[in-house]
Amino acid sequence: MREVRKPLLVSLFLNLIVTCFILETLHISFVNGGEGFSGDYSKLSGIIIPGYASTQLRAWSILDCPYSPLDFNPLDSVWLDTTKLLSAVNCWLKCMLLDPYNQTDHPECKSRPDSGLSAITEIDPGYITGPLSSVWKEWVKWCIQFGVEANAILAAPYDWRLSASMLEERDLYFHKLKLTFETALRLRGGPSVVFAHSLGNNVFRYFLEWLKLEIAPKKYVQWLDDHIHAYFAVGSPFLGSSQTVKGALSGETFGLPISEGTVRLLFNSFGSSVWMMPFSKYCRTDNVYWKHFFEGRYTGNHKYHCDDMEFRFNYSGWPTNIVNIEIPSTRGIDAYPSITEVAQQNLSSRECGLPTQLSFSAREVSDGTFFRAIKDYDPDTEKLLYQLEKLYHDDAVLNPLTPWDRPPLKNIFCIYGIDSKTEVGYYFAPSGKPYPDNWIITDIIYENEGALFSRSGNLVNGNPGASSGDETVPYNSLSWCKTWLGSKVNITRAPQSEHDGSDVQVDLNVEHHHNADIVPNMTRDPRVKYITYYEDSESLPERRTAIWEIDKASHRNIVRSPVLMRELWLQMWHDIHPDAKSKFVTKAKRGPLRNEDCYWDYGKARCAWSEHCEYRYVFGDVHLGQSCRLKSSSADLLLRYL
């Protein structure tokens, strides 16, 4: 009897060891019939820094709106309440406008940013407006679906109307952001993953520079290593955006039901508008913070200087000149008369004069040369010049209108869309109308898939990049983070959709020259949308840098892209897995991760990806694709990505 029990006990013991080993290896548990997974996220936190106009603003005043039944009361939504925007636009403007010089609120109304995740998920909640204004809602939904705890996702909303220095001066924003990182570390026991979109990347850059003045220099990098595991820079305007100039001169409505002149008044009152002005990649400033450590011995000034490349080549490293403008023949107040003056003038007696056309590069926009040239013809340029000098070039922490070097973070993932039609230059002329509608756009220069052309379709001479931008930010600005890559880069191009690996192209150890772009020598099927990965984990010890270029991903919708969220979560799962064999997640194959990724293959009359998906009807399904779900036996679904 003992001889029978002994082998049985040994067998049970061995099975127990094997089972524990498998569970420890997987670190993953499938629930709800394989609908989702929860990895070892117990120590990680996610901190979201939203982009421009992506934080709700709420009223902090009581404002009685005449001729309208809708008033503004404390905590009422200001940005964005389309009902009040349509019915009480003058009151709404009072709650949105800032003084262009001191960035204070309107005397009758003030607004402040909302807090928490609700401030960034839907800007205008509602049955109709909610889906249209959804920004980070899908992102948070993915976090929940993949088992992330509720207190692990933290939002860092801010008043996107303010410049960086005013964010700290008025709201102590960067002090609060530092406390957010430190609180997340104490709460979860591990570092945070930073997700920043658009202007949020500029905010995060300023925070990293501001942090140098708050932490002893010897402890600065250690603080970053302790508090930040990875930084995902999504759609970052590293060198600015041409559309900022368009907004400053003629207004950019972004689909809002208000006039371009009204939007221009609003836009030019915000200190943050200048934050996204295009600037030269060849011009820098002295490192200001060293003055605080070597007081008395540091003799340098906060000087803005450009190297020889700026004057040797055209366009400041951009595809073309940003602004081409016709200067009117009249000067002073006659260049922008009031509405009553226009009505009273006898235009037939006005003396005719030929306008002068001038062109300005990105450097001449950011250093104020352009605005000084049209100062006699436009009243808003005085405000913009003041903001440029006071809030940016004279900033005590950082001049944001200078190129950004790679931050000393462990892991950086730079992600952006490419190959969309993007505005890179403009032709302006006097409109003959009173201010603020005194300029009109006569032509627009676009970049699209490596070519420049005008609005009429004619080709334009210039320096187009290898690709085009994401509809909002030009390619040269988005791809500046490629300069953070080292001398040897691994490049992989794979389809965005689920694939079996047959169309994946890999090029290892590609030589990369400093401050130069990398153009992969790979084929492209025009019917397929790709992701191109540039990965470097060797150039800097214990540091990884990766660039993800996503075909046809638009600037405003990229954070809602299922493809981006899939890749991001696979990379995060790879990073936390103890048995990951490579520095980056493999791109060899992509299969479904959620029920939503399964679909019906009408050609084969079955669910696609039959090895992972099966037909399983649930009451309420209205079509065949909805009934395709992950198999409950797909416990090894993610092992291929190690």
Side-chain angles (χ1 to χ4, degrees), residues 66-125:
Y67 313 113
S68 174
L70 300 176
D71 299 327
F72 280 95
N73 295 298
L75 300 183
D76 281 357
S77 177
V78 176
W79 183 266
L80 183 63
D81 189 329
T82 52
T83 303
K84 290 181 179 177
L85 171 60
L86 292 170
S87 61
V89 63
N90 290 330
C91 282
W92 180 81
L93 283 172
K94 289 179 181 178
C95 294
M96 285 293 297
L97 280 166
L98 297 176
D99 185 285
Y101 295 100
N102 55 28
Q103 296 293 282
T104 55
D105 301 282
H106 192 277
E108 297 181 39
C109 186
K110 65 174 64 175
S111 299
R112 291 295 180 268
D114 202 353
S115 60
L117 284 172
S118 61
I120 66 172
T121 49
E122 285 183 346
I123 308 304
D124 189 11

Side-chain angles (χ1 to χ4, degrees), residues 181-325:
F181 281 103
E182 293 171 347
T183 302
L185 178 61
R186 291 180 64 88
L187 181 66
R188 311 286 298 177
S192 298
V193 179
V194 179
F195 307 104
H197 177 238
S198 191
L199 180 64
N201 293 282
N202 298 29
V203 173
F204 184 63
R205 176 195 183 185
Y206 192 92
F207 168 72
L208 294 178
E209 292 296 321
W210 172 88
L211 203 60
K212 293 178 181 177
L213 306 180
E214 295 294 312
I215 298 176
K218 292 183 179 180
K219 297 182 179 180
Y220 174 70
V221 174
Q222 186 61 49
W223 190 97
L224 296 180
D225 289 345
D226 292 342
H227 293 83
I228 302 175
H229 168 70
Y231 165 43
F232 289 86
V234 184
S236 178
F238 288 106
L239 301 179
S241 174
S242 307
Q243 286 193 4
T244 313
V245 179
K246 176 183 177 182
L249 261 66
S250 65
E252 177 66 74
T253 65
F254 298 113
L256 292 176
I258 48 180
S259 68
E260 289 184 343
T262 302
V263 174
R264 184 191 178 198
L265 288 172
L266 199 64
F267 186 82
N268 289 342
S269 75
F270 301 159
S272 64
S273 300
V274 180
W275 207 344
M276 297 175 288
M277 285 287 179
F279 54 87
S280 172
K281 67 179 184 180
Y282 303 121
C283 300
R284 296 178 178 268
T285 56
D286 297 326
N287 214 338
V288 183
Y289 79 96
W290 284 112
K291 292 191 295 184
H292 298 267
F293 304 129
F294 302 101
E295 197 64 42
R297 289 181 291 164
Y298 183 84
T299 58
N301 297 320
H302 190 144
K303 293 181 180 178
Y304 182 81
H305 54 86
C306 304
D307 58 32
D308 294 339
M309 303 290 283
E310 169 65 27
F311 307 102
R312 191 180 304 171
F313 299 104
N314 295 328
Y315 315 132
S316 300
W318 283 68
T320 183
N321 284 323
I322 306 298
V323 181
N324 304 276
I325 190 167

Side-chain angles (χ1 to χ4, degrees), residues 403-422:
W404 187 6
D405 296 324
R406 187 194 188 281
L409 300 173
K410 288 181 180 179
N411 305 297
I412 296 180
F413 296 84
C414 182
I415 308 164
Y416 51 88
I418 62 169
D419 282 346
S420 294
K421 183 179 174 182
T422 306

Side-chain angles (χ1 to χ4, degrees), residues 579-592:
D579 292 334
K581 302 179 181 66
S582 58
K583 295 290 186 178
F584 298 95
V585 65
T586 178
K587 318 300 185 300
K589 192 174 183 179
R590 286 293 181 268

Side-chain angles (χ1 to χ4, degrees), residues 30-41:
F30 282 79
V31 294
N32 299 329
E35 290 182 4
F37 66 87
S38 58
D40 185 16
Y41 296 106

